[in-house]
Amino acid sequence: QGSVDCPNLEFEYGDADGHGVELAELYSYTEEPELSTNRRCFEEDFHTQVQGRRWLELDGAQQKAYVMRLLDGLEVVNRDKRLKVARAILYLAQGVFGDCDNEGDVLHWSRHNSFLLYQLGTFTAFLELLNMEIDNSQACSSALRKPAISLADSTELRVLLSVMYLMVENIRVEQEADPPEWKSCRETFRTELSFPVHTEEPFALLLFTMVTKFCSGHAPHFPMKKVLLLLWKVLLFTLGGFETLQAMKVRKREELGLPPLPEDSIQVMRSMRAASPPTYSMELMEQQQQQQQKRGHRSRRPLVKQDSLDIYNERDPFKNDEAGVDEEENDDVDSGIEGELDLMERDAIIPVMPTQRPPIERVSFPKGLPWAPKVRQKDIEHFLEASRNKFIGFTLGQDTETLIGLPRPIHESVKTLKQHKYISISDIQIKNEEELEKCPMSLGEEEVQETPCEILYRAMLYNLPQYMIALLKILLAAAPTSKAKTDSINILADVLPEEMPITVLQSMKLGIDVNRHKEIIVKSISALLLLLLKHFKLNHIYQFEYVSQHLVFANCIPLILKFFNQNIMSYITAKNSISVLDYPHCTVCDLPELTAESLEAGDNNQFCWRNLFSCINLLRILNKLTKWKHSRTMMLVVFKSAPILKRALKVKQAMMQLYVLKLLKIQTKYLGRQWRKSNMKTMSAIYQKVRHRMNDDWAYGNDIDARPWDFQAEECTLRANIEAFNSRRYDKPHDSEFAPVDNCLQSVLGQRLELPQDFHYSYELWLEREVFSQPIRWEELLHYQ
């Protein structure tokens, strides 16, 4: 299960890893020989055009002239010649490493050349070539016929996608020293990717189409890792990262006249400290023996104070180590069979503070809980309904102002609840949607802002279920817990070499490469799904609900739980990288001879950044799917997620622990008294770290929400609301039955009509045929009286 004494992980969550690392993850180790092929293609052409000089010595005009000549070379019909030119352009985007002395220079020239290539229209040229390659039926059919697909089947696609990725990633990342023309270039590129300029759809949709085409089995040679990385970075660039999201949220709340956010959640999480995980020191055999003894005689043992989840994780110097009792793993205990806790047990559960404590320790305790409490309008209504039923015997519906007949403490409680009342943007959007559904005539057309997010949703709308299913299929194939099945999709087509390894060393290298490849796929899918969910939720709650409902229907919840049902500590500390082979290190340094020791050494980090990032993203997605949804919370209970999530608490990283504790909190009331009793450390961690909802009865389960619920009706109602929203906003018929009719003879005759140019030639003929030669039977009018 991994070490209990895992140190605190110094991990800083962000939109992406360091710039160099993100570029390195584009290439697999089996692609490494192609770096020198790109260099050769460039140098062969460059030395015929510019003799005796290096790329770095050319001035701006000469560099532009040479790139324009290269772009002309992409127009040729011969496929091999086109590929050579594309490789030369890729070498430029990779930072002309043959002329550089160190890694910093390679990254600098990679950025410089990416901006230069974009300004000369390279991205548009490569987009046309990419469309040609996607529609290349010959490559698809030859890949379908092959028994084993390798790296060679996707050569052209990999070159094109690599150039596009390098341009997107280099231009996306801002640096202080960037000249002003680069900043304007960045904005132009962002607009070009966000809005359909050359085609009828945004660029991200083309990549989504590639994903579905790959998953349907029609194009097994598509290099999926590169497609997914590019898709993630395009979404990150066009929609914006987490800090942009926070700023957009603040701005939108201002526009809607809502009070500002109580805190910036990213900042709060950065300042939080990790807690010690629940102890797992007992071996499985001892645990079973202890459980058997308990079944034999049900003697009550006194509960002692357990301090391993104290907020600052201190050992009490006055506490006897032998007194600690290991936390039990009663995960399959029947819930809610026993009666209420008796008073003795209730007193025992409340942790007693030790009488003596050195003054130094007192200083380190926080002044308060990390989050401001939040109260929903519904919570105030429930509270008042219960109070009125109890004290005056009738209710007043949704009235939260009338407090007549209620005792003074209830007045105080309502006042406190209202002080912490939080109205979300989603609440306003749902209310507006209800009004638009009720009064389509009087409220008229809704003004929808044409944001990149809105355009993307409209483009994705009709194929969105297929996109979600395809992404989850690939995620399942890349999950470390997945068994290799004959019918599952092959995501290794762009990492397996043409000739399989012969020596043990080559096999080890390929093994590391395959694992790394899968990790990068998980990282990109988890990040892009989270980005989509967060942006759609801010844009409109029903766009978010549409995506999340299709993820739930495609079994996203059990898939994420399956992902976490592994030794999560060994996944987070995995060393599936060979640092000497990483770009840009491998381009400027002489590679030492690889040995088994150097392969196993990996890097010296205490954890793998991408794996921890993926885990947090998947937990955040799971939180987004289940929050306030009783039917989905019950799925967590049914799939026995509690022990799986509890094991994930071993990772001592505050942000990851917070999202695990949130998922445990929402299902605690369904897990039964025995589970809560034997997981008191986890319960106190939830209390210390998760936001408080004033009258949320999560810890006891007496809540109205914990009673039997019609889960199917909940999802069906949500689905009906989503369909009503989509049809109202996106299925606009041209001749609507609500279109106004002009009944005024004067205005109808006075309208100017666009007549065809040759109208006056045939006008007299038309008049003769249609008017004069037609007999008018005036008496027929009498029949309509």
Side-chain angles (χ1 to χ4, degrees), residues 567-579:
N567 185 341
I568 209 74
M569 275 308 299
S570 66
Y571 183 70
I572 275 165
T573 54
K575 295 275 192 285
N576 287 315
S577 58
I578 308 165
S579 47

Side-chain angles (χ1 to χ4, degrees), residues 469-514:
I469 289 166
L471 287 172
L472 293 183
K473 264 188 179 177
I474 299 170
L475 186 61
L476 175 65
T481 49
S482 293
K483 304 286 180 288
K485 290 179 185 170
T486 49
D487 59 340
S488 70
I489 48 176
N490 175 19
I491 54 166
L492 303 177
D494 52 330
V495 71
L496 296 176
E498 279 185 279
E499 294 170 4
M500 291 309 279
I502 305 161
T503 65
V504 176
L505 200 64
Q506 287 173 332
S507 300
M508 280 176 70
K509 182 183 159 188
L510 184 60
I512 290 170
D513 207 1
V514 164

Side-chain angles (χ1 to χ4, degrees), residues 431-453:
K431 198 175 173 185
N432 288 347
E433 201 54 37
E434 285 170 1
E435 286 173 5
L436 282 163
E437 281 293 315
K438 275 184 204 164
C439 324
M441 299 285 284
S442 57
L443 291 174
E445 285 288 316
E446 179 194 15
E447 277 189 39
V448 181
Q449 207 177 343
E450 288 290 284
T451 58
C453 190

Side-chain angles (χ1 to χ4, degrees), residues 676-693:
R676 296 196 289 272
K677 201 170 139 186
S678 56
N679 288 277
M680 283 310 293
K681 295 175 191 173
T682 310
M683 298 287 280
S684 31
I686 292 170
Y687 180 80
Q688 285 171 347
K689 296 193 175 297
V690 182
R691 187 191 302 279
H692 286 254
R693 299 272 169 183

